[in-house]
């Protein structure tokens, strides 16, 4: 799962990003409201959650939230704010925020709110994904092949989830890198191929037919 952080205090943004990645999420951060809104307008389908600071340069978090809701962008929004007045909270929720957390906050509380917002309705984002004999449980972070658990690293799990959420769809290396890693990873290295091979070994072992197919010159797909 991928999270966008819009926070103008770079030290805090990096800490949140690092903490989320240690929990198995992928995360990007931007430092002003204007570039953050532009990223969402162009790439909102790549993200599962937005962590949005209220006081931002160039465009406030309040404006960003209201504008993306006006554009029918339904990504869950968790607002970071130093304001804790009742009217401030009401204004945030009316602007389209799903939840807020008052600064200063503990990362443990932030993580709990992130998990709560990511528990979307089954019809939108199911907690269990299944392709053939392969099952992925997003809630428990477990994967099974023929009802036998396979052990995955956090990044392997994120990659497999990304592919399983797009059955029969061919995805290229750039799509994988920007969703499972981040926008700063070198597109020309072989990190995707390495992790695809790791997944194949764990899912299929020595079977000739692989669950994750290579589409030559394009990318990869999981075929249903």
């Amino acid at each position: 799962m991928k999270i966008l952080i819009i926070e103008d205090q770079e030290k805090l943004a990096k800490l949140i990003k690092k903490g989320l990645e240690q929990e198995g999420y992928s995360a990007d951060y931007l430092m002003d409201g204007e570039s953050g809104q532009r990223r969402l307008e162009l790439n909102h389908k790549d993200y599962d959650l937005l962590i949005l600071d209220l006081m931002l340069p160039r465009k406030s978090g309040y404006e960003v939230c209201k504008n993306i809701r006006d554009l029918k962008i339904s990504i869950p929004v968790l607002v970071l704010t130093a304001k804790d007045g009742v009217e401030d909270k009401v204004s945030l929720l009316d602007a389209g925020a799903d939840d807020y957390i008052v600064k200063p906050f503990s990362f443990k509380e932030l993580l709990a709110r992130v998990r709560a917002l990511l528990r979307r309705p089954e019809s939108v984002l199911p907690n269990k994904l299944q392709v053939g004999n392969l099952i992925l449980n997003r809630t428990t972070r477990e994967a099974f092949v023929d009802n036998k658990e396979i052990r995955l690293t956090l990044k392997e799990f994120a990659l497999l989830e990304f592919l399983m959420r797009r059955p029969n769809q061919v995805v290229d290396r750039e799509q994988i890198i920007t969703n499972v890693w981040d926008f700063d990873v070198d597109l020309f290295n072989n990190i995707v191929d390495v992790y695809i091979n790791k997944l194949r070994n764990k899912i299929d072992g020595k079977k000739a037919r692989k669950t994750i197919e290579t589409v030559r010159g394009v990318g990869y797909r999981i075929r249903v």
Side-chain angles (χ1 to χ4, degrees):
M1 307 203 75
K2 189 160 190 177
I3 297 172
L4 178 62
I5 305 157
I6 308 177
E7 165 61 61
D8 66 326
Q9 296 179 44
E10 188 168 17
K11 184 177 180 181
L12 176 57
K14 286 182 174 179
L15 285 172
I16 295 173
K17 173 180 166 69
K18 182 178 180 181
L20 290 171
E21 289 175 341
Q22 288 175 341
E23 293 295 323
Y25 301 103
S26 180
D28 296 325
Y29 74 86
L30 296 169
M31 296 177 60
D32 71 84
E34 190 172 296
S35 60
Q37 182 175 319
R38 190 181 310 116
R39 173 72 63 84
L40 287 166
E41 289 174 0
L42 296 173
N43 303 102
H44 63 273
K45 291 183 179 179
D46 292 337
Y47 295 101
D48 300 285
L49 176 73
L50 170 63
I51 296 178
L52 178 66
D53 185 34
L54 193 61
M55 305 299 291
L56 293 168
R58 301 178 69 186
K59 188 171 288 186
S60 72
Y62 179 89
E63 291 177 285
V64 172
C65 188
K66 187 176 185 305
N67 290 343
I68 65 171
R69 293 310 191 217
D70 288 343
L71 293 169
K72 308 302 181 184
I73 297 173
S74 59
I75 182 174
V77 178
L78 173 60
V79 171
L80 310 180
T81 177
K83 300 181 178 181
D84 60 356
V86 173
E87 291 302 318
D88 295 315
K89 295 173 182 177
V90 170
S91 296
L92 284 175
L93 296 174
D94 285 345
D98 295 278
D99 196 2
Y100 58 85
I101 186 169
V102 178
K103 295 179 177 180
F105 54 83
S106 71
F107 183 74
K108 186 176 181 181
E109 181 184 0
L110 177 72
L111 195 59
R113 291 177 183 270
V114 165
R115 287 196 297 263
L117 287 176
L118 289 174
R119 288 196 283 268
R120 304 285 294 279
E122 287 281 330
S123 60
V124 177
L125 190 61
N127 286 325
K128 284 188 178 181
L129 302 172
Q130 182 167 1
V131 176
N133 63 346
L134 178 61
I135 297 174
L136 199 72
N137 189 315
R138 295 172 50 252
T139 303
T140 61
R141 295 188 181 277
E142 295 174 319
F144 300 87
V145 176
D146 294 326
N147 296 318
K148 294 180 180 179
E149 185 176 2
I150 57 173
R151 298 289 183 178
L152 301 178
T153 66
L154 293 176
K155 196 58 70 177
E156 289 167 354
F157 189 96
L159 174 56
L160 184 58
E161 179 187 350
F162 177 75
L163 293 171
M164 290 181 69
R165 284 170 62 176
R166 294 157 178 82
N168 292 324
Q169 179 180 333
V170 180
V171 292
D172 60 33
R173 288 172 177 79
E174 183 176 356
Q175 288 176 288
I176 293 172
I177 285 174
T178 55
N179 283 276
V180 179
W181 280 268
D182 58 45
F183 279 80
D184 298 324
V185 173
D186 182 0
L187 295 177
F188 297 100
N189 67 30
N190 66 343
I191 190 169
V192 173
D193 307 278
V194 169
Y195 273 84
I196 290 289
N197 285 332
K198 287 182 177 180
L199 283 177
R200 283 173 171 163
N201 289 334
K202 291 184 177 183
I203 294 169
D204 301 305
K206 296 182 179 180
K207 294 178 183 177
R209 184 173 181 178
K210 302 301 182 184
T211 301
I212 302 174
E213 298 180 340
T214 298
V215 180
R216 293 193 179 279
V218 184
Y220 301 97
R221 72 175 161 210
I222 287 185
R223 185 188 293 276
V224 177

